[in-house]
Amino acid sequence: MKTNLLKMKKVLFAIAISASIFTGCSSDDDAPVIKEPVVGEISGNLTTSKTFAYGNYTLKGMVKIQSGVTITFEKGSTITADKTNGETGLVVLNGGKLIAEGTVNEPIVFTEKSKVAGSWAGIIMYGDAPIVGLSSATSATSEDGLSLSYGGTNAAHNGGSLKYVRVEYAGQVITSQTKEHNGFSFYSVGSGTVLENLVSYKGNDDGFEFYGGTVSGKNLISYGNGDDAFDWQDGWKGQDNTNWFAYQTGVANYGMEVEAKSVNNAFWPKVTNITLKRAAGTTTEGQGEIQLDAIQFKKEGNGDYSNIVIDGYVNQTTPTAFNGGAVQILDLTTYTNQVVGGKIKLTNVKVTNTPNIFVTGGAGFTVSAASFPGTNWGVNTTATGASLAAGKWATVDGVNLLANL
């Protein structure tokens, strides 16, 4: 009797173990969860805070995030404009916030249906950080056609967080200087805003433009944009910028255009780890002025730049002949106050495939290494430039944007 009872217990125990094994290995438990993207349209004024779940969205019109509103996009989302719907862009008004935090392999992509450069307005953000405009003005009017006033006293303004975000085919220009757009446009944006791992891809104007403010950008890629890769004015003074990569191809102007509205500021932006490359055969957008240098300083533009790699800024013979160079100083005032005055610092600079180190844009002065006081100019053949991690955030249609880094 005891023997039979013992045998029965063993059988029941074996059955229980088998059941637990099969239950633990069920296909329901081990199968990967596939999250289907939602589909929707985004338009009009956004007046209520909202999170847009992972999905594919159509952006229609100049969509404006109002003051006091936070709009969040989940990682991996794609937001597509369509130029046939008219002027389209995403605008973060002063007081509003945009939270778009992708990952290295699940970026958030803002693109355009036709994949033609200049088809939409890109991302535009406003803040109330300080600016120094023309004649030292503390405010100015935007050049994006919205004609909004920007500039304030809140250096720590926070417009949100953009991480692993790519903007494609933007840079729509409707009227030059009064209604034009970039990939990313930052109007008096403050240092509380996070800008990290951003790509501006094949736009028709600047990749990134800063209109004053104190915000900084880390790990920025400007690839194939038709005007300048990086551009700023209005006394922008971001202090924590690093790992900037510009690859200019087809039609392009400066790698970095640096100006300060003709105001001799006592401050300057700081950028470390910069790579500026120009592909063979690239020509300038406009033919009325020299526009093919790696870095141009004009209208009292200044700054502190270090660990720089410059490559491929050669002379242009057609359609208009210009000399290409690593550094252009456009005007005598900038030369006197900023170069000789010690407010332009370029250190650890490696220059290759570029016939001219310095280019003078005006009459009455000649730029050379001796023009820079102290250690404000320094060549280093081991400079490394930008350092960026590969991943889907930097890959478009199977092309690795970092292949030329």
Side-chain angles (χ1 to χ4, degrees), residues 238-377:
Q239 298 293 295
D240 195 23
N241 303 280
T242 190
N243 291 323
W244 286 14
F245 172 44
Y247 187 71
Q248 299 183 279
T249 181
V251 174
N253 295 330
Y254 301 111
M256 290 167 36
E257 185 176 39
V258 184
E259 71 146 290
K261 288 293 178 66
S262 299
V263 178
N264 186 9
N265 294 311
F267 58 81
W268 48 75
K270 296 181 180 179
V271 189
T272 63
N273 308 328
I274 304 165
T275 297
L276 307 174
K277 290 193 174 184
R278 193 174 181 90
T282 303
T283 59
T284 58
E285 178 188 39
Q287 301 304 314
E289 62 175 304
I290 305 171
Q291 291 182 308
L292 70 160
D293 303 298
I295 308 174
Q296 186 214 42
F297 295 93
K298 67 178 181 180
K299 297 181 180 180
E300 305 272 27
N302 60 16
D304 184 346
Y305 312 94
S306 61
N307 189 24
I308 308 164
V309 171
I310 294 171
D311 182 81
Y313 289 81
V314 299
N315 298 337
Q316 174 179 300
T317 56
T318 59
T320 303
F322 290 129
N323 287 334
V327 179
Q328 180 201 127
I329 309 298
L330 182 65
D331 55 272
L332 177 59
T333 303
T334 300
Y335 174 77
T336 302
N337 292 338
Q338 308 304 323
V339 177
V340 179
K343 296 180 181 180
I344 293 177
K345 302 177 183 180
L346 298 156
T347 56
N348 271 354
V349 183
K350 178 181 178 181
V351 181
T352 54
N353 302 313
T354 301
N356 306 298
I357 301 298
F358 299 107
V359 174
T360 299
F365 67 101
T366 301
V367 187
S368 68
S371 301
F372 295 81
T375 58
N376 281 11
W377 168 262

Side-chain angles (χ1 to χ4, degrees), residues 155-178:
H157 157 264
N158 181 351
S161 178
L162 308 183
K163 295 182 178 180
Y164 294 103
V165 174
R166 189 167 69 241
V167 168
E168 303 173 350
Y169 313 111
Q172 186 176 36
V173 177
I174 298 171
T175 307
S176 182
Q177 303 300 318
T178 59

